[in-house]
Amino acid sequence: MLVVVQAISAAVGAVCRTGLEDLVRAHYGRRWAVIVLAAILAVNVLTLAADLEGGAAALNLLTGIRPEWFILPFALAVAALLVYGSHQWIERVLQYVVLIFLAYIVAAFMARPDWSKVVHDTFAPHLSLGKDYVAGALALLGTTLTSYAYVWETIEVAQERPPIRRLGLVQVDAALGMIGAGVSFWFILIATGATLGVHHKVVQTAQDAAAALAPLAGPHAAMLFGIGLLASALIAVPVLAGTSAYVIAEMFGWRRSLDAKFARARGFYVSLLLSLAVSTGIAYAWNDPIQILFYSGIAGGLGTPITLVFMMLIAHNREVMHKHAIGGALAAGGWIVTAIVIAACAVYLFQVATGGGG
């Protein structure tokens, strides 16, 4: 699902040379653009608050200092990175941060799971319509297929402006990135399932989650988990804040670029700083990193169908994409993914409304 969505969004960015919000405003009108903007910002701000708290919780694990002392400094550090760093430099830094997730691959093997069962359940999972299962599935979709991920992909590819003759390579690059992310996530699930899961331990704090790495690090599990959690926050927070600024600037037709000086893209950078400020306030008001991370995933799942439908409409529109409009298996895959996300949202909302699905 991730591969399909990112390949489509990469094609949109490469062909149209602009972001999704700008395309919706130009081809479907300001009213729909406002709805898409609201859907993206609502999810981004909550997810940004969750990741600021996650980063603070990580620093708490590494230093022992209370996490609330780190939320504002972390937000200010990211703001400085985005305002003073170039787009290319930020991208290069984030690529190296991703390597930290290799620790979870090692942890999965050290946890000694039943690999035959892991492989079987990966390809033939037990499915349920239980309320907790559906909520967890929607949170998973909202964390991975969330709008900021593929909206950022359109923005990033549009900024790079690759030659159209390289469109296939751009899509392959996006797909390979998602395969890498999926494999890493698979090992994280195995590491947590083979440690916390087999003992039916509910994760309520960052310290609980750190226990997943105990087979590898022993008493140093908290430190290793803290490094991984900090890496996750360092990747997510700049992308979330940057995406928010880009979609706001696209909506109002402002200059937008992380390579531009503050004075030449004032509206863009003010939007970026404002999104960080609002998210910082939410992080201080909602002092529960695990809970806010989970509910931000739910919000991401509920907000995804709106932007996903518009991305599919644009990618399939020959007036917009010309001869590069998607079709065949890629288009079918995109609509199937969209239908799955919409169905997950519908089941979740029905269960919330009726109190069913125990």
Side-chain angles (χ1 to χ4, degrees), residues 1 43 47 128-147 185 293-305 308 337-352:
M1 291 170 71
V43 173
T47 308
S128 168
L129 288 178
K131 191 173 183 179
D132 290 341
Y133 193 100
V134 170
L138 184 61
L140 173 59
L141 289 172
T143 303
T144 51
L145 280 170
T146 186
S147 57
F185 186 63
L293 282 166
F294 182 77
Y295 283 110
S296 69
I298 295 288
L302 294 174
T304 291
L308 200 53
V337 171
T338 304
I340 291 172
V341 177
I342 292 173
C345 291
V347 173
Y348 173 78
L349 291 173
F350 176 79
Q351 290 184 346
V352 169

Side-chain angles (χ1 to χ4, degrees), residues 208-268:
D208 291 340
L213 287 179
L216 169 65
H220 303 295
M223 180 174 291
L224 192 56
F225 178 80
I227 293 171
L229 185 58
L230 182 60
S232 176
L234 286 172
I235 293 168
V237 172
V239 173
L240 284 160
T243 303
S244 298
Y246 270 104
V247 294
I248 292 172
E250 287 177 357
M251 176 67 198
F252 295 103
W254 298 337
R255 180 186 174 91
R256 61 265 185 191
S257 174
L258 288 171
D259 291 323
K261 299 295 184 182
F262 190 97
R264 300 191 64 186
R266 188 174 286 107
F268 169 77

Side-chain angles (χ1 to χ4, degrees), residues 35-222:
I35 293 173
V36 170
L37 178 65
I40 294 172
L41 290 182
V43 173
N44 275 20
V45 168
L46 186 58
T47 308
L48 188 51
D51 282 299
L52 286 172
E53 275 214 50
L59 291 168
N60 164 248
L61 289 172
L62 295 172
T63 65
I65 300 172
R66 291 174 64 86
E68 52 265 31
W69 288 102
F70 290 112
I71 295 175
L72 181 58
F74 186 42
L76 291 174
V78 171
L81 173 71
L82 293 173
V83 172
Y84 297 107
S86 68
H87 181 275
Q88 186 177 17
W89 185 80
I90 294 169
E91 186 180 37
R92 188 179 300 118
V93 169
L94 297 184
Q95 286 175 342
Y96 286 110
V97 171
V98 171
L99 296 176
I100 294 174
F101 289 111
L102 292 174
Y104 290 99
I105 297 177
V106 179
F109 283 100
M110 296 293 290
R112 300 184 183 279
D114 181 347
W115 284 105
S116 62
K117 184 170 176 56
V118 167
V119 173
H120 175 271
D121 290 352
T122 295
F123 295 99
H126 168 71
L127 301 177
S128 168
L129 288 178
K131 191 173 183 179
D132 290 341
Y133 193 100
V134 170
L138 184 61
L140 173 59
L141 289 172
T143 303
T144 51
L145 280 170
T146 186
S147 57
Y148 79 80
Y150 51 83
V151 170
W152 177 257
E153 182 71 18
T154 63
I155 292 168
E156 188 175 36
V157 174
Q159 289 277 305
E160 293 172 356
R161 304 182 71 83
I164 294 298
R165 68 177 183 275
R166 293 184 57 228
L167 179 58
L169 291 176
V170 170
Q171 290 179 290
V172 168
D173 181 62
L176 289 176
M178 288 302 98
I179 291 172
V183 170
S184 298
F185 186 63
W186 187 64
F187 280 110
I188 291 172
L189 285 174
I190 295 169
T192 53
T195 51
L196 299 173
V198 295
H199 298 293
H200 305 288
K201 290 185 178 180
V202 177
V203 178
Q204 295 179 320
T205 67
Q207 286 77 8
D208 291 340
L213 287 179
L216 169 65
H220 303 295

